[in-house]
Amino acid sequence: MDSIKLEVPCYLGVEKLVADELKRLHMADVRAENGRVSCRGTLADIPRLNLNLRVGARVLLVLNEFTATTFEELFQGVKAVNWQDWIPKDGAFPVKGYSISSQLHSVPACQSIVKKAASAKLGQVYGTEWLPETGETYQIRFSILKDEVHICLDTSGPGLYKRGYRAVGVEAPLRETLAAALVLLTGYKGLDPFCDPFCGSGTIAIEAALIAKNRAPGLNRDFTAEAWGCIPRRAWMDAANEAMDREYDRPYDIWGGDIDPAAVAIAQSNAEKAGVEDTIRFEQYDARRFYSTSPYGRIVTNPPYGERLMDEAEVAKLYHDFGHTVSLLPEGWRVAILSSYEGFETAFGRRARKKRKLYNGMIKCDLFYYGKV
């Protein structure tokens, strides 16, 4: 089977996690750049990546890469793609993309050029001036970074953070892909007690359960490329069976608490949709009173911060109280806290052992590590 290039966009700061995931899936030529990771594989790897990736945003099939500083260069680079190998005569091919630090800075203009070029090539091959676009969707995505153009097809559809278990949520929820990144960054593998005392809709605890069980996060959803004729249906079935064969079945100690009973009810419902309700305990609980007699364990959490739910004085007081609570835990506990609050360490009462910059959407945050993490 011919080799293809695949690209996985991701949050800034988690590229290595995505690269590690691709290597564990035995992908070739894995390369990480700012905000994306590329690899080489076959068409059969498209189902495998969509089903198994925990941190990546989506799986893109790269069709061409070239430099363009004029609209003519962009047009010719897009037209050079053998679109007919992927898009049938009735296929719908909408265009999305972005341009950063490039001479072709107008995204609407670039969208128009990409659409015209793809239409010209398909019309030429299929011998028609009008393409109905009444069939399945083949989303074209382009990126232009410092005049370097990537032309891709989006195989995922809705972003990979949409696992299919969170039909509802509480205010300011954390995306599933970032929640998974937080868990993976702490090295959690399901062997010690795992707690999120600010669980909200339960996303961090649910992602921890999926990681502990080694359950593929995409098993409960559909992907755009499932309808593409170029990828055999058997490849999707084989990828799903392979993923299910890798699951673990052993007891785990995963707990989530929140002071809001409505959030706890939502978290429990989401866990049931994810099929991990037997793995997590959710309960109404005040994080400022958290305590455990276990000599070891870990906390991974995303407490309220200034831009969500609370004003600065309330945030500082909450962090101070929670910091005191954490200080009373046995020495074997490891703690990782995501926050965008600039005064976090001062409010918490001590400097972090280390910290890592991450982004929650467009909000720059730090992941603060305490204990042995």
Side-chain angles (χ1 to χ4, degrees), residues 32-33 42 63 80 93 125 146 151 160 178 235 255 265 306-307 314 319 321 327 336-337 344 364 369:
E33 305 174 47
T42 67
L63 300 182
F93 52 104
V125 171
K146 296 181 180 179
I151 301 297
L160 295 182
L178 182 55
W255 175 88
E307 295 188 31
E314 291 173 321
Y319 286 2
D321 293 346
S327 71
I337 304 171
F344 174 83
K364 186 169 72 173
Y369 295 90

Side-chain angles (χ1 to χ4, degrees), residues 5-64:
K5 182 173 182 178
L6 299 168
E7 190 171 275
V8 182
C10 60
Y11 283 119
L12 290 170
V14 301
E15 295 89 349
K16 185 179 184 303
L17 290 179
V18 176
D20 289 345
E21 286 192 280
L22 293 173
K23 290 173 184 176
R24 283 195 293 271
L25 290 167
H26 308 295
M27 303 304 294
D29 197 20
V30 176
R31 300 186 181 186
E33 305 174 47
N34 283 341
R36 62 189 178 194
V37 184
S38 64
C39 64
R40 297 205 69 87
T42 67
L43 287 178
D45 290 312
I46 289 176
R48 296 177 65 243
L49 267 56
N50 275 295
L51 285 166
N52 288 284
L53 288 179
R54 300 186 188 280
V55 182
R58 58 185 66 251
V59 179
L60 304 179
L61 170 61
V62 182
L63 300 182
N64 202 7

Side-chain angles (χ1 to χ4, degrees), residues 193-214:
F194 183 99
C195 303
D196 178 4
F198 297 95
C199 73
S201 57
T203 309
I204 292 176
I206 291 171
E207 291 298 319
L210 292 172
I211 289 168
K213 294 172 77 68
N214 201 34

Side-chain angles (χ1 to χ4, degrees), residues 249-262:
D249 185 16
R250 59 175 184 250
Y252 304 99
D253 185 1
I254 302 174
W255 175 88
D258 200 282
I259 200 168
D260 181 2

